[in-house]
């Protein structure tokens, strides 16, 4: 299939250290002149840290855009570094967890209508917790704990977990655990 | 818990008919002066249309930000209208499907670090397909078909479905079907 859009020109309309917003002048699929605004950001990582009961570690952290606290998986921007290194750094900073085994699951796109960002979901297994290395103690993460996948599913049903990137990662991780007969 | 951020001021730095980008001047959780860029957009809907075998309808459509074709669930922006009306409109436009039974599942947030957008996931059951009413024939949707949840899971594993909002919706829908002993 052909690309149904024709891009005539592009310009940056806003930029900060984390995102660039560009506006493209386009011919739409209907053949009209139009614009399309796209948000570009560095790819992100999200980490499912599993204990020996195959429970998963969630953090209770503050979302600035939502201005509210939420349960979610650890993760963040890759800062352009290697995905595995970014995952190790984010997990250690946010939880104090270090892991001997790392498994990368398929990459996903965050918001296909507006953003270019992709997320890498990584499984961290054979873990140890050393809270002394958790450096992100500036008040954006209030607590963290392990939950079984039954508990996590119930939290999603109740809206207690409502963060889409975390739910996408949970889908991937749960499939991996079921395929490997671990839950 | 308190809000770890302090918002000093806010300004719109870019706006088009679909998104507004604002930049807030803040005191960060570390106590420093900084900025936070937030993308605001209307809430969106995503629809899981199920046939009488509890297979789900996916469309093969073009993502402008990714500049590629993908399998995903039907849906789109709400245009500020009622969530159920938006869901009926998007489903009819994109697939020609009309449904007698509609069930709303928990709302989720698309990108908790950058966006305010929430997505409503709706189940559409007791359906009929009338391709004559599918008006979105401008080349952004190439085809559509029903898939079993086994097939959908395998497509996610292979990266053939990699769109996070669709995968989040699949998680919610699959849980609903399992709870209701339908798959």
């Amino acid at each position: 299939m052909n690309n149904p859009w024709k891009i005539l020109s592009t310009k940056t309309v806003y930029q900060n250290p984390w995102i660039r917003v560009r506006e493209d002048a386009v011919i739409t699929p209907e053949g009209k002149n139009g614009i399309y605004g796209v948000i570009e950001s560095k790819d992100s990582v999200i980490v499912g840290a599993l204990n020996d009961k195959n429970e998963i570690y969630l953090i209770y952290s503050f979302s600035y855009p939502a201005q509210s606290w939420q349960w979610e998986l650890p993760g963040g921007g890759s800062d352009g570094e290697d995905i595995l290194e970014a995952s190790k750094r984010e997990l250690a900073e946010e939880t104090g967890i270090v892991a001997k085994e790392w498994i990368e699951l398929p990459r996903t796109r965050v918001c296909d209508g507006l953003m270019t960002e992709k997320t890498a979901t990584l499984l961290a297994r054979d873990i140890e917790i050393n809270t002394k290395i958790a450096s992100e103690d500036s008040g954006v993460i209030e607590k963290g704990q392990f939950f079984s996948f039954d508990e996590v599913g119930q939290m999603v049903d109740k809206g207690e977990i409502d963060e889409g990137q975390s739910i996408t990662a949970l889908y991937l991780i749960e499939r991996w655990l079921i395929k490997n007969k671990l839950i």
Side-chain angles (χ1 to χ4, degrees), chain A residues 27-65:
Chain A
I27 307 285
T28 70
E30 295 82 10
K32 294 177 183 161
N33 281 290
I35 59 163
Y36 206 118
V38 175
I39 297 112
E40 299 179 349
S41 50
K42 293 197 182 90
D43 290 344
S44 52
V45 297
I46 196 160
V47 181
L50 301 175
N51 66 12
D52 55 10
K53 289 185 259 183
N54 290 305
E55 296 169 330
I56 190 161
Y57 197 87
L58 300 184
I59 55 174
Y60 195 67
S61 71
F62 191 83
S63 162
Y64 184 87

Side-chain angles (χ1 to χ4, degrees), chain A residues 6-170:
Chain A
K6 187 172 175 194
I7 304 173
L8 302 174
S9 64
T10 184
K11 63 180 177 188
T12 299
V13 290
Y14 174 69
Q15 191 156 22
N16 69 27
W18 305 278
I19 60 172
R20 181 171 88 99
V21 183
R22 62 172 225 260
E23 183 181 282
D24 295 351
V26 297
I27 307 285
T28 70
E30 295 82 10
K32 294 177 183 161
N33 281 290
I35 59 163
Y36 206 118
V38 175
I39 297 112
E40 299 179 349
S41 50
K42 293 197 182 90
D43 290 344
S44 52
V45 297
I46 196 160
V47 181
L50 301 175
N51 66 12
D52 55 10
K53 289 185 259 183
N54 290 305
E55 296 169 330
I56 190 161
Y57 197 87
L58 300 184
I59 55 174
Y60 195 67
S61 71
F62 191 83
S63 162
Y64 184 87
Q67 290 284 304
S68 64
W69 292 87
Q70 60 187 22
W71 284 106
E72 64 175 1
L73 291 177
S78 68
D79 297 343
E81 71 206 293
D82 175 77
I83 287 298
L84 180 59
E85 290 312 308
S87 302
K88 287 180 176 175
R89 179 181 50 71
E90 287 287 344
L91 184 64
E93 282 176 7
E94 295 191 346
T95 70
I97 294 173
V98 291
K100 289 190 183 135
E101 186 185 6
W102 287 86
I103 297 158
E104 191 181 335
L105 301 177
R107 297 195 188 184
T108 52
R109 285 173 301 113
V110 176
C111 178
D112 80 309
L114 292 173
M115 297 176 77
T116 58
E117 183 179 321
K118 285 186 186 179
T119 304
T121 298
L122 283 95
L123 266 182
R125 304 180 75 217
D126 199 353
I127 61 169
E128 279 180 32
I129 303 188
N130 177 355
T131 51
K132 283 183 200 153
I133 64 170
S135 57
E136 199 149 306
D137 57 355
S138 54
V140 293
I141 298 175
E142 207 255 338
K143 57 189 172 181
Q145 71 174 85
F146 288 99
F147 292 94
S148 71
F149 275 82
D150 277 350
E151 289 170 322
V152 163
Q154 287 163 21
M155 290 166 80
V156 173
D157 293 342
K158 290 178 195 162
E160 292 169 2
I161 299 171
D162 72 347
E163 199 275 292
Q165 289 172 278
S166 289
I167 297 171
T168 297
L170 288 168

